[in-house]
Amino acid sequence: MYAFNCHFHTYPLLYIIIGKEERSKLNRSNLPARLSAKPRTCGAGRTHSTNLIQFPTLVLIAITYILGIIIGTNIPAASPILICLLVVFFLLLSISFFLKKYPKIRYFSLYASLLLFSILYTSAYFCITFSNLEENKNKPVKLTGVVISEPDIRKWQTNLIVKAEKIELPGGNEIEPPRSRVLIRIRFQKRDIFYGEKYVFSGALRVPPDGEFKRYLQRHKIAASMNIGDRKKIQYISEEKGNPLIKGVLKIKKGLINTLKDYISPNYSSLLGGMMLKAGSVSDPIREMFTKIGVVHILAISGLHVGIMSGIFLSMFRLFNIPKRISYSITFVLVIFYALITGLMAPVVRTALMVNIFLLGYIIRRKTNIFITLAAASLLILLWNPYYLFEVGFQLSFITVLSMVLITPKLEKIFRLRPIWPVRIFLVSVAAWLGSLPLVAYYFGYVSWAGPFSNLIVIPLVTLILAGGFILLISILALPFLANFLGIVVNFLLFLLLKIAEIVSSWHFVCSEVPVFDLRIVVIYYLAFFLFLYYSELKALFKGFKYAH
């Protein structure tokens, strides 16, 4: 499938390890929305089709569900009228399955029911009532709760999410908030606090007004926040059981981090830990350097890292001549484990889902394509939390993948370049840059002109660093006599990465600030760009409709 090649060229190893035969098979499965005289089915089964165009049903379901989320965020509570309409359309959908002569009624009732469900689910998703806290916000309270997240330990701050069990209000009164999560922001580095421990935190609960911070809390089901600047206001009570799987994974992660620190220079340990295991944070000057050259995403665990690690796993299995179905099955499990060990962050979960859906297609011998994979991943994520739709990372990851799939073949056609893999990787990088350009400018206020060129150097280098770190961990356990040499190699690669970033970021033309602009400009950009690239296809489509009628 060509889309697969486009998507995973950002993760070069995956393209290399699947082999020539598989690549040729994948390339024969092209975009699902092709002009055709005959309808066909895709990997997800049925398609909607006329004599001109067909689209996988799963893709249309995802689009309908996303539209419902957008509408649902503007509805304060579940409307009785919408509930009644949902019941009516659901009954109509049930009846339509017995009326095979009227497929249009079935499709209409299906999408209408899905749209109404999405609207109601989104509007009712965040229903935590904190009226008691509203009356006592900004007053000193004592909160008793259990740490339910891996503490985010930074240089000058420690963040953690606590499940509140009891809140003691001023005057001695107590309340038991239902299903409540509180974000605790400790204004110093605290390394002796762990997942599953029970504490009493003393401070002022803050329920933010409407704004970006409140929306951030809502997306993570957090009802309030508390800032603590004194160690005496944190009192340890006991160690709760917690989730044994999460505790076990975090224990393994801690052991891996401590093992790496013995072989990696202190100057680079935070950088490698952040890139490989979501452990440690880089300094602001380093972050600024990578931001200028358009590759800041490599500093924190993201979908890129999941793709690279998947490629590393598959490459190792191919090296040992392990059968493909077995290697894909093992990689499927390892991707899940890697997502767990990195904290199940939203971008990691997104890419892990996409990678595993594709691997599953090989394992069960079912055809698939990137559109069905994206639709399935987006549906699963947004069913879990519809507010993820409004996260910058969610929007950028999906728009970047779509850009690589839709724009890369057009760039190859326009420039008529030979489809060798270095050229194609560059074109994929350009396509991703063009697709993400307006969103990056809108959210972050800058444009990195060096992005497509930086990726050509930085992404392969990051691949080598992650592969080196992974092999270093294996060698420490199995081949300790190689560990010192591999440690020297990884240290050199990290030094080289920082040096390249330092040199390129010093050039004044690599990054430009842009003024604040309206969201409608972003929409106009995508519409105009799509019309420019697909003008001939759209012209043929409208001409076909004209002759059809």
Side-chain angles (χ1 to χ4, degrees), residues 133 139-144 157-160 162 166-168 181-187 200-208 213 217 222-229 233-234:
L133 294 185
K139 295 180 181 179
V141 300
K142 288 186 177 181
L143 183 149
T144 303
Q157 183 171 311
T158 302
N159 299 325
L160 50 115
V162 171
K166 182 176 64 174
I167 295 177
E168 184 178 336
R181 293 182 174 187
V182 178
L183 172 65
I184 305 294
R185 297 192 291 186
I186 303 170
R187 298 302 187 184
V200 174
F201 301 95
S202 300
L205 276 177
R206 302 181 186 276
V207 181
F213 184 53
L217 295 182
I222 297 172
S225 65
M226 177 185 287
N227 296 334
I228 298 176
K233 293 185 177 181
I234 304 174

Side-chain angles (χ1 to χ4, degrees), residues 185-360:
R185 297 192 291 186
I186 303 170
R187 298 302 187 184
F188 51 86
Q189 192 180 82
K190 186 172 176 60
R191 293 189 172 276
D192 58 342
I193 191 166
F194 302 101
Y195 168 83
E197 293 180 338
K198 191 173 184 178
Y199 286 86
V200 174
F201 301 95
S202 300
L205 276 177
R206 302 181 186 276
V207 181
D210 290 337
E212 184 58 36
F213 184 53
K214 184 171 185 178
R215 287 191 289 272
Y216 167 80
L217 295 182
Q218 285 180 333
R219 287 195 294 266
H220 295 84
K221 300 182 182 179
I222 297 172
S225 65
M226 177 185 287
N227 296 334
I228 298 176
D230 188 352
R231 294 182 183 273
K232 295 179 181 179
K233 293 185 177 181
I234 304 174
Q235 180 184 352
Y236 173 80
I237 296 180
S238 63
E239 182 177 356
E240 297 289 312
K241 291 182 179 179
N243 187 312
L245 176 62
I246 296 177
K247 292 188 76 171
V249 167
L250 292 178
K251 188 175 181 180
I252 294 172
K253 178 180 178 178
K254 185 179 179 182
L256 294 175
I257 294 167
N258 292 334
T259 301
L260 281 175
K261 284 182 178 179
D262 294 335
Y263 295 89
I264 302 299
S265 167
N267 297 327
Y268 309 131
S269 59
S270 294
L271 178 60
L272 180 63
M275 289 170 54
M276 192 172 177
L277 296 169
K278 189 185 171 267
S281 57
V282 298
S283 62
D284 291 337
I286 292 177
R287 186 172 297 277
E288 186 178 349
M289 283 193 311
F290 283 88
T291 299
K292 283 184 177 180
I293 65 174
V295 291
V296 69
H297 55 282
I298 71 162
L299 297 180
I301 294 292
S302 65
L304 170 68
H305 300 73
V306 178
I308 290 175
M309 293 304 292
S310 304
I312 292 170
F313 298 149
L314 289 172
S315 296
M316 291 185 63
F317 295 140
R318 190 179 183 188
L319 185 66
F320 291 103
N321 203 25
I322 296 175
K324 285 187 172 58
R325 287 189 73 186
I326 296 175
S327 65
Y328 290 162
S329 301
I330 299 172
T331 302
F332 184 93
V333 176
L334 289 175
V335 167
I336 295 174
F337 179 75
Y338 187 69
L340 285 171
I341 209 169
T342 53
L344 290 176
M345 299 169 63
V348 174
V349 172
R350 282 193 294 271
T351 308
L353 280 172
M354 287 189 282
V355 171
N356 274 355
I357 288 170
F358 191 86
L359 291 174
L360 188 62

Side-chain angles (χ1 to χ4, degrees), residues 25 30 38 52 97 189 194 224 230 281 295 364 397 422 427 461 499 507:
K25 291 178 183 178
N30 216 323
K38 296 180 181 180
L52 292 169
F97 280 102
Q189 192 180 82
F194 302 101
D230 188 352
S281 57
V295 291
I364 64 175
S397 64
L427 291 180
L461 190 54
K499 202 64 181 177
W507 301 341

Side-chain angles (χ1 to χ4, degrees), residues 489-526:
V489 172
V490 174
N491 277 294
F492 172 73
L493 292 174
L494 290 165
F495 164 78
L496 190 61
L497 177 65
L498 290 175
K499 202 64 181 177
I500 292 171
E502 182 183 352
I503 293 170
V504 177
S505 64
S506 65
W507 301 341
H508 298 291
F509 60 86
V510 297
C511 185
S512 300
E513 292 185 2
V514 295
V516 178
F517 56 91
D518 195 89
L519 184 61
R520 285 173 290 187
I521 296 177
V522 177
V523 177
I524 292 170
Y525 172 92
Y526 284 120

